């Protein structure tokens, strides 16, 4: 995915949110982001997805929706039981979405 500097910063912030919130490595966060959003056509900053904070998209790259089709969004999530959310499987290690080495 080709990104301008603004969108690259936005996605870096999303990866940072994932490492902090989910306790995963930066390499895993980037792989999950690449897998989930890498096929999208992203416009220069501010792309339409910038109408939401990076954490909104981070949750969608990490979790599957709950039984009601809801994903946490990073703001008012008190009615979502995180213990019942399933985590998306890791992308295969030989996939091109792994662009960083594990720390």
């Amino acid at each position: 995915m080709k990104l301008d500097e603004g969108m690259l910063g936005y996605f870096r912030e999303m990866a940072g949110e994932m490492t902090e919130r989910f306790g995963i490595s930066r390499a895993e966060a980037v792989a999950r982001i690449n897998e989930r959003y890498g096929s999208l056509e992203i416009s220069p900053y501010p792309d339409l997805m910038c109408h939401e904070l990076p954490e909104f998209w981070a949750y969608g790259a990490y979790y599957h929706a709950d039984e009601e089709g809801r994903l946490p969004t990073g703001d008012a999530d008190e009615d979502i039981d995180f213990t019942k959310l399933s985590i998306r499987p890791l992308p295969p290690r030989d996939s091109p979405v792994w662009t960083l080495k594990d720390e």
Side-chain angles (χ1 to χ4, degrees):
M1 140 177 33
K2 293 268 189 199
L3 300 172
D4 71 345
E5 283 302 312
M7 287 309 295
L8 187 58
Y10 184 84
F11 278 96
R12 283 181 177 145
E13 195 173 329
M14 189 186 307
E17 289 286 339
M18 292 176 77
T19 61
E20 282 183 40
R21 292 173 185 266
F22 312 136
I24 61 176
S25 71
R26 187 157 199 89
E28 180 182 335
V30 169
R32 288 178 178 278
I33 289 167
N34 287 341
E35 180 181 58
R36 185 84 169 138
Y37 305 116
S39 64
L40 298 179
E41 205 166 302
I42 307 291
S43 298
Y45 186 84
D47 181 80
L48 183 60
M49 72 187 310
C50 295
H51 286 67
E52 298 289 351
L53 294 172
E55 65 212 41
F56 176 88
W57 303 106
Y59 281 105
Y62 190 72
Y63 288 112
H64 285 288
D66 69 7
E67 63 278 350
E68 295 177 37
R70 300 174 303 167
L71 279 171
T73 61
D75 24 34
D77 295 323
E78 62 274 350
D79 60 335
I80 293 179
D81 184 353
F82 283 78
T83 64
K84 293 186 178 178
L85 293 177
S86 62
I87 297 170
R88 292 181 181 281
L90 275 175
R93 289 291 181 164
D94 60 349
S95 167
V97 301
W98 287 89
T99 57
L100 297 179
K101 300 248 187 260
D102 274 322
E103 294 94 45

